[in-house]
Amino acid sequence: MMSVPHIDYPVDFDQDPGLLTFTFGGKDAVAEVPAPGTLSTSTLDAFAGRLNRPDMLPSDADLQGYLNPQTGPFFIPQAHPGDTLAVHFKSIVPHFDFGVSTLIHFFGALTSTPQTPTLQDPLPERLWYYGIDTAKGTVTLNAKESAHSFDFALDPMHGTVGVAPAKNEVHSSLTPGAWGGNMDTPELRAGATCYLGVNVEGALFNFGDGHARQGEGESCGTAVETAMDSTVAFDVVSNYYTPWPRIETDEFIMTTGSMRPMEDAYRIAHTEMVHWISEITGMSKLDSYQFVSQAALTPVANAVDTVYTVVCKIPKALLGGADVYGGIHEKLKTY
């Protein structure tokens, strides 16, 4: 297993950020990881550790544009354009005993935003400081304006997972797309395998945006944001390109689509699933369309990012043990 030093904060972004990047594409690799192989490393939270006290507000962070730092990119020498990189999350563990969630001016699903402006005033800034207890497996919300307190189940995941985009494009780590990126789906938890189409030599994989938990849609714009210590396993499916990110767990196969309006994200995810089901089963496109129409679950991953992400899920039990990527998900669990 390759081990990369933990990224702790505060980080001086005026200096070389070292292992960190704020884009997909546009940066040289920080390390080389063979496939098959495993990587143990850490990621900062979306606020780069600047929001770390209960009495703070988002505007106190002085982020200077440094949002959603990613660890990487990592060069996988076995990954070539036209291949698929398989990334299995073996473990995702909060590094600290706290996380934060916020209300930020003109950001979130239930407020006026720059893309959908109205004449309403911004919602007031808020910061909720969550306690994280990994031993108990809980995330604790203490209400700001009353004495209420709630324990949620700890459900760590990575909001941002991806590779360098095609055509030498460079995209902000705040943006999801065909390369992956800031999809913000809770499905990317430990035990999941993410499949990403390789666009450049070495894939240039990076990830971050740890969430101790997140509701589907990430309605207020932030989950329980926290730093993570994670171990991932890599392998490569040669000569097979995955056009949009896919996810596999023990129970489901999933496709994703990221776009605005949300109906187009839905269309991408479901179109990709129809093609995948046709490939897996040998059914025609129209029979596969009917299958997906009756079997699919469709959680909204995020309704707040620069473009929205929708996930299409099909239970593997309906596929009768059909082969998916040559069984690589099961193999990666053993690495």
Side-chain angles (χ1 to χ4, degrees):
M1 178 188 297
M2 178 182 180
S3 182
V4 175
H6 176 75
I7 304 166
D8 228 333
Y9 51 70
V11 174
D12 185 358
F13 293 115
D14 292 329
Q15 305 297 320
D16 181 1
L19 295 173
L20 300 177
T21 182
F22 295 87
T23 64
F24 285 88
K27 186 184 178 187
D28 293 335
V30 299
E32 184 175 298
V33 183
T38 58
L39 168 71
S40 179
T41 188
S42 61
T43 61
L44 291 179
D45 66 274
F47 300 110
R50 301 295 178 92
L51 299 180
N52 50 38
R53 299 194 315 271
D55 60 342
M56 298 185 77
L57 293 173
S59 57
D60 295 331
D62 190 25
L63 292 167
Q64 301 177 29
Y66 293 110
L67 281 166
N68 225 21
Q70 306 295 295
T71 301
F74 297 97
F75 186 92
I76 294 89
Q78 292 77 17
H80 308 290
D83 294 342
T84 290
L85 179 67
V87 183
H88 181 75
F89 289 92
K90 296 179 70 68
S91 65
I92 306 172
V93 180
H95 185 75
F96 297 106
D97 63 359
F98 74 92
V100 299
S101 188
T102 62
L103 286 184
I104 299 171
H105 287 170
F106 299 121
F107 180 60
L110 305 182
T111 184
S112 178
T113 71
Q115 291 91 346
T116 54
T118 68
L119 295 178
Q120 68 182 254
D121 293 330
L123 295 176
E125 282 193 298
R126 289 287 188 275
L127 182 143
W128 286 266
Y129 190 88
Y130 284 75
I132 298 173
D133 191 324
T134 54
K136 292 182 179 179
T138 58
V139 180
T140 301
L141 165 64
N142 293 307
K144 298 286 289 186
E145 299 172 351
S146 68
H148 290 83
S149 180
F150 302 92
D151 285 338
F152 299 118
L154 178 65
D155 188 16
M157 41 84 63
H158 279 286
T160 311
V161 174
V163 294
K167 301 177 182 178
N168 295 315
E169 291 182 351
V170 177
H171 289 276
S172 165
S173 58
L174 294 171
T175 302
W179 60 92
N182 196 28
M183 297 181 286
D184 280 323
T185 171
E187 305 292 351
L188 286 172
R189 55 175 63 90
T193 300
C194 184
Y195 300 104
L196 300 159
V198 177
N199 304 301
V200 302
E201 286 296 330
L204 295 179
F205 170 83
N206 43 270
F207 71 120
D209 192 22
H211 297 170
R213 70 166 293 115
Q214 179 206 304
E216 291 175 352
E218 200 179 17
S219 178
C220 77
T222 58
V224 182
E225 312 286 339
T226 195
M228 291 293 181
D229 297 322
S230 298
T231 298
V232 296
F234 296 104
D235 210 339
V236 174
V237 182
S238 298
N239 300 313
Y240 184 96
Y241 185 76
T242 300
W244 283 84
R246 296 174 179 174
I247 303 168
E248 182 180 1
T249 65
D250 290 347
E251 296 180 337
F252 293 95
I253 62 169
M254 305 174 227
T255 51
T256 68
S258 297
M259 195 62 64
R260 282 196 185 201
M262 191 176 290
E263 66 189 85
D264 284 346
Y266 177 99
R267 286 169 170 158
I268 293 168
H270 277 247
T271 296
E272 289 299 311
M273 183 59 80
V274 168
H275 290 315
W276 199 9
I277 291 297
S278 180
E279 177 186 319
I280 291 170
T281 64
M283 290 193 297
S284 71
K285 180 173 66 176
L286 295 185
D287 281 338
S288 297
Y289 185 16
Q290 180 61 205
F291 177 95
V292 171
S293 294
Q294 309 311 328
L297 303 171
T298 311
V300 175
N302 90 78
V304 296
D305 289 336
T306 54
V307 297
Y308 304 144
T309 299
V310 168
V311 174
C312 179
K313 302 173 62 172
I314 295 291
K316 291 166 73 172
L318 294 176
L319 299 174
D323 183 51
V324 177
Y325 285 101
I328 199 168
H329 170 72
E330 292 297 325
K331 296 175 187 175
L332 283 164
K333 289 162 62 175
T334 69
Y335 290 174

